[in-house]
Amino acid sequence: MARTQKRGAAIAMSAAETDAFLRAQPVCRVAVTASDGHPHITPLWFVWDGTALWLNSLTRSRRWADVVKQGRLAAVVDDGGLDFLALRGVELRGPAEVVGEVPRTGEPYGELVEPERLFGEKYAGGRFRYDGRHGWLRMTPEEVVSWDFGKLRR
């Protein structure tokens, strides 16, 4: 269960707002600790199933190696623009784990039915495509922090 946000409560999104926001946004920025100790941050497509962030990542990437080694990641999903009051976002932190075959070629795997359906609908015209180069990472957040500066207008 994710910890409740204490700071910035006045601009925090509700659970329903956070869920809708995460389902709608196309890109997250994934941060892991690289082998040299520095942060490694990359943009990535994702899906949110209501409890976990699912990342379909190249299995021969630095990101994949770092996540597998560290077992944790942080992700930021945000939008807005030049208008301060339009800024909204969610930061999620928690353990990450590999789910299914590596790389994913389409062997039946129950836990991946829903993420692959969501991913196919969101990015691929309704059908998830296997390319034999990607695998699934599931991050179940321990901490969720959100902000919607538009709430300052109220």
Side-chain angles (χ1 to χ4, degrees):
M1 184 66 146
R3 284 186 268 174
T4 305
Q5 182 172 338
K6 293 179 182 166
R7 295 182 118 182
I11 59 169
M13 293 183 203
S14 69
E17 289 169 330
T18 298
D19 187 67
F21 181 80
L22 290 173
R23 289 181 188 272
Q25 295 302 310
V27 177
C28 70
R29 288 158 191 83
V30 176
V32 296
T33 303
S35 57
D36 63 5
H38 287 88
H40 178 216
I41 304 168
T42 56
L44 193 62
W45 284 353
F46 73 98
V47 290
W48 172 253
D49 69 2
T51 60
L53 191 73
W54 290 88
L55 307 165
N56 192 246
S57 175
L58 286 167
T59 61
R60 296 181 131 202
S61 67
R62 179 176 171 188
R63 173 187 49 249
W64 182 275
D66 291 340
V67 170
V68 169
K69 181 179 178 185
Q70 299 294 325
R72 300 188 62 72
L73 63 85
V76 170
V77 181
D78 62 338
D79 76 348
L82 298 176
D83 178 3
F84 178 78
L85 295 176
L87 297 174
R88 299 181 307 156
V90 178
E91 178 185 4
L92 308 107
R93 294 185 202 173
E97 62 185 318
V98 174
V99 179
E101 63 191 302
V102 177
R104 183 87 172 112
T105 59
E107 290 296 317
Y109 200 84
E111 287 182 89
L112 295 176
V113 171
E114 183 66 359
E116 289 177 349
R117 182 189 69 76
L118 291 169
F119 200 91
E121 287 177 3
K122 190 172 184 179
Y123 301 109
R127 184 171 173 264
F128 184 79
R129 291 171 177 70
Y130 305 99
D131 66 5
R133 299 181 313 138
H134 287 76
W136 284 102
L137 298 167
R138 173 178 52 207
M139 190 269 274
T140 305
E142 294 174 337
E143 185 174 0
V144 178
V145 177
S146 66
W147 58 94
D148 178 351
F149 288 108
K151 291 184 177 202
L152 295 173
R153 291 181 202 175
R154 299 175 192 153

